Amino acid sequence: MSSHRHCVCWLVSILVATLAGCGPQQVAPDAPPPSTVPASPAGAFAIASWFDVRVPPAAGPVLATLTAATDGPDDPSRYLVDRMIATLPDGR
């Protein structure tokens, strides 16, 4: 009898698990609309920004020198060469 009782318990538990898993699906009420944010970072993007800082008058010449040293595609090497040439005496 023990074997028969074990088999019945096993069948009842499978039946209960099957019926519990076949219940109706729960639908989320008032679900938000799908996101419009891209899921992939691939693509072309353009960003424009600026940063405005008020500079004290004493810092103006220093910042002008830094700007001159970094404003070209071949700077700061071009800036340094130009400064070295400017310190050379006039040739004859």
Side-chain angles (χ1 to χ4, degrees), residues 22-79:
C22 294
Q25 297 289 332
Q26 287 186 332
V27 178
D30 299 326
S35 175
T36 58
V37 176
S40 171
F45 300 94
I47 297 174
S49 66
W50 65 91
F51 188 68
D52 190 16
V53 178
R54 294 182 188 246
V55 178
V62 173
L63 290 177
T65 303
L66 286 174
T67 301
T70 59
D71 63 350
D74 54 352
D75 281 333
S77 61
R78 167 68 69 146
Y79 174 79

